[in-house]
Every structure is written in C-alpha cells, then in structure tokens.
Amino acid sequence: MRGLTRAGKRASEMAFNAGGGAINWFPGHMAAASRAIRDRLKLADLVIEVRDARIPLSSANEDLQPVLAAKRRILALNKKDLANPNIMNMWLDHFQSCKQDCISLNAHSSNSINQLLGLVELKLREAILKEPTLLVMVVGVPNVGKSALINSIHRIASSRFPVNDKMKRARVGPLPGVTQDIAGYKIASQPSIYVLDTPGVLVPSIPDMETGAVKDSVVGEERIAKYLLSLLNIRKTPLHWERLLHRREEFDEDPDDSCEKGSRGSLQRRQRFNNSDALYVQDLVKEVQRTLCSTAMEFTGNLDEDNELESLIDSQLVALRKVFRIPHKPLDESHGPASKKLLTLFRSGKLGPFILDDLPSQQ
C-alpha cells in the first residue's frame, strides 16, 4: 500500500530527481531487527503500527504489510497536530471503511495516549478472557514518533496501573536506528499486558522520495525541498496564502504609517526579532509564505510543463536565500542551506498543517 499522489507521482518523475536512483538504507542492525520483528509478531496479540499523519500511506512499512494485515492491528497516525484536521477526518473515515482500526494522535498528549490505551484494551477484550499474559507490539518506520509514543505510554500506564516492575523508557532520537534493541515494558496487571518496543525499520530499498520518512542526508536536502515545492506549486498552495497574508497585514499595520513602511517597519521587525524568538519565527514564516506566494503569482509560465515548473522552483529557492539571509557565494548555485531551513519550517508545522498523501478514492 503506497501513498503515490497524483501530484507526488509527477514530482518524483521531474528532472531534479533524475539519476537519484533507488535509495538503499538498510544497515545490518536493521536487517537483524526486521527478522526479530517477524519472529515476535508471531507472539503479539495486537500490533500498534505508528505512521505519520501527514503521509498516512507512504509512511507505512511496505515490507511488513502482509504480516501486519494478518494481526489485530491499530493504525496510530501520529503528529496529528501537524496535519490538516479536515482531511485527517476523511482519512479516518477511509480506514474505517476498510475495516481497519485507526486513531489520530499526538504522541506528547496525555489525552491521545489515554484514547489509544482505551482502544487497545477494547480490542484485546476477547483475548483477555483466554490468555493470562498479552503482548502488544509497536512498529513503525523511523521518524514517525514511535519512541516518543512508547515513552508516553509508559508515563500514562505507570499512573493508571499497579505495576511494580521497574520500567525503562525507550530512547528517543531524531535519526533512524536510535532504538535498536527490542525490549518489553509492562503496562498493566491482571491480566499482564506488555508493550514491545521495536527498532524503526525501513523497507530494504526505497525507490523514490515519496516512500517513508527517511532522513534528509540519505535522499539529499535539496531534492526533498524541490519535491516539496513541486507539490505545493502543483496544488497552488502558495496562491492560497495570499488572502491569509493580506489579513495578517491589515491586522499588523497602521494605515497612517504606510509612508514609513520601508524604514520604520523594518526597524520594528528587527526590534521584535531581538525581543522574542517566537516573534522572529512568526515573521520569518510570513516572509517565506509571502515570497513563495509572490513568485508563484509573478510566474508567467505553464505549470503543466515540468521544465517550467522547475524554473519556478529554482527562482523560489533563490528568493528564499535572501529571506533566510544566506550569503551569496560566487559560482555556488546550490540551494542546500535554503532547502534545509525550508524543510525545518515545514516539518515543524510552521508553514501550516498539511497531508501530502491523496485519499485512494481521489487518485
């Protein structure tokens, strides 16, 4: 099951991705972990498969899907706070129509974890009558927030259940392979329920940039940024920001000060930057959105032509170098630094809530 969007399929076939080839990211410890996961799946009474809510299909571990489909399974769509809530509800309806239990959550929210644990107990109600000890397994590709979810489960479970066993928290890291050893954690007694942590494991070969949540250095930050901008431009997202930016400017600006906008306005912004990091990021986001919006509006080419769309993307990355105050270096035409800063804003949800996968019925 892959999340190949119409826009995404076109973006992955554009010239900036040509020659990129298949992405191989399967270190030895991950291969061993994958075998261990398959072995332990045979023992698991229920599987929680963690995915990124922004890519509900393409963050799935395709290699394990046949095995997971045969188990009691709950899809946990993490990072819902970074996803479009209206489209998220449509995804939940889609999985429900497929008879697949699914919940959207934020791994750092106690509310979300309580709802997940309630669903786990509900799904295990029949098995509880038959087995004195039940095993719940948590799986997911790297960077979907699996370890953060497990840590939150431990914190909530330790306050809910009379567990005497000392519980060790899972290690959390932003890079694939941080949680390498499979370990079990007791979350309930009478009957005993254990949660098994597993490493983040990618499929052996990642054929394109749409698949999974592989770290930037494997694919290349510039390629990912161009892929993201191609999706946004194909969907005309920057043009949708125009009205939002206009409303913000009406709120922020005093009409009587329009003649001083260039001098005093920039001074006020610099003062705000110095006074508050939050205001700096907020203003930076507005400048990024304004820049992407203006370049899209000024573009006179045909977005249906790949070479012209790539020309727009290049002009946007050049413009973003100025927004991010990246010094110009002669003979340096790379967009690495600007790409990295753009991806940071996107991944943190600062550019807005997005879901990049299309619903299957829309494909």
Side-chain angles (χ1 to χ4, degrees):
M1 187 164 58
R2 291 275 300 279
L4 293 175
T5 68
R6 294 187 303 276
K9 186 175 187 298
R10 180 187 168 196
S12 65
E13 295 172 349
M14 291 175 65
F16 63 78
N17 194 38
I23 303 163
N24 295 306
W25 181 249
F26 207 56
H29 71 267
M30 287 190 178
S34 183
R35 290 191 293 270
I37 287 173
R38 290 178 180 276
D39 290 340
R40 297 209 178 191
L41 274 172
K42 300 172 184 176
L43 305 175
D45 297 286
L46 183 141
V47 178
I48 299 174
E49 183 186 356
V50 187
R51 300 185 187 178
D52 190 320
R54 295 167 296 179
I55 41 176
L57 292 185
S58 51
S59 59
N61 185 321
E62 195 70 17
D63 192 43
L64 288 178
Q65 289 309 303
V67 182
L68 296 176
K71 307 293 295 185
R72 289 188 189 89
R73 174 174 57 168
I74 296 174
L75 293 185
L77 304 182
N78 189 27
K79 306 182 183 181
K80 73 171 185 178
D81 52 311
L82 303 181
N84 184 303
N86 294 326
I87 301 179
M88 188 75 268
N89 288 333
M90 296 170 65
W91 273 102
L92 293 175
D93 290 341
H94 163 72
F95 285 119
Q96 184 177 4
S97 70
C98 297
K99 309 297 183 185
Q100 172 59 63
D101 292 298
C102 182
I103 183 172
S104 62
L105 53 82
N106 176 352
H108 301 288
S109 164
S110 297
N111 249 354
S112 287
I113 303 304
N114 278 319
Q115 291 176 13
L116 175 62
L117 291 177
L119 184 56
V120 167
E121 291 185 66
L122 179 65
K123 298 305 296 181
L124 287 177
R125 184 170 294 172
E126 181 180 344
I128 284 174
L129 300 176
K130 302 177 181 178
E131 300 290 340
T133 301
L134 301 173
L135 300 180
V136 177
M137 196 165 184
V138 182
V139 300
V141 301
N143 298 338
V144 294
K146 180 173 62 67
S147 291
L149 173 66
I150 290 172
N151 286 340
S152 295
I153 289 177
H154 298 163
R155 186 172 59 252
I156 297 296
S158 63
S159 64
R160 286 181 55 183
F161 302 112
V163 178
N164 296 322
D165 298 340
K166 184 178 180 181
M167 294 187 296
K168 180 182 177 182
R169 298 178 66 198
R171 289 172 293 166
V172 180
L175 301 178
V178 170
T179 310
Q180 296 182 10
D181 298 324
I182 295 179
Y185 305 93
K186 190 173 184 178
I187 65 168
S189 297
Q190 300 177 352
S192 296
I193 300 179
Y194 287 84
V195 171
L196 301 182
D197 180 26
T198 61
V201 177
L202 290 175
V203 292
S205 177
I206 305 168
D208 54 58
M209 288 188 295
E210 288 195 340
T211 306
V214 65
K215 72 175 183 176
D216 296 347
S217 60
V218 178
V219 179
E221 288 167 338
E222 188 170 331
R223 283 173 65 193
I224 297 176
K226 287 185 174 182
Y227 176 79
L228 172 62
L229 285 174
S230 65
L231 285 178
L232 296 181
N233 285 308
I234 290 170
R235 295 179 176 183
K236 304 188 185 303
T237 302
L239 300 180
H240 298 159
W241 286 331
E242 181 187 13
R243 185 177 300 176
L244 174 63
L245 291 167
H246 182 65
R247 287 202 303 266
R248 287 175 180 169
E249 288 171 353
E250 285 182 337
F251 179 80
D252 291 341
E253 292 181 6
D254 184 345
D256 295 333
D257 293 339
S258 57
C259 61
E260 302 178 37
K261 179 179 177 182
S263 58
R264 201 174 80 182
S266 60
L267 175 61
Q268 290 173 339
R269 282 196 295 273
R270 285 197 298 273
Q271 290 172 339
R272 291 204 303 273
F273 291 173
N274 293 330
N275 293 336
S276 169
D277 289 341
L279 282 174
Y280 168 75
V281 173
Q282 183 180 7
D283 283 1
L284 180 63
V285 168
K286 286 195 289 187
E287 285 302 315
V288 169
Q289 291 177 328
R290 184 180 290 110
T291 298
L292 295 179
C293 177
S294 62
T295 50
M297 292 180 67
E298 294 166 3
F299 181 68
T300 57
N302 182 0
L303 289 180
D304 292 331
E305 298 292 332
D306 287 354
N307 61 332
E308 296 191 38
L309 174 57
E310 289 181 43
S311 175
L312 169 61
I313 292 170
D314 283 332
S315 68
Q316 288 176 326
L317 287 171
V318 169
L320 287 177
R321 292 174 75 162
K322 298 177 182 177
V323 174
F324 293 132
R325 301 180 182 179
I326 298 171
H328 175 70
K329 296 180 181 179
L331 304 180
D332 181 9
E333 298 182 358
S334 68
H335 301 298
S339 298
K340 184 174 183 177
K341 291 180 180 292
L342 176 66
L343 291 173
T344 297
L345 290 178
F346 171 75
R347 288 214 171 96
S348 62
K350 296 294 189 297
L351 293 180
F354 292 94
I355 293 183
L356 300 182
D357 284 347
D358 287 333
L359 284 160
S361 60
Q362 296 177 346
Q363 294 184 24

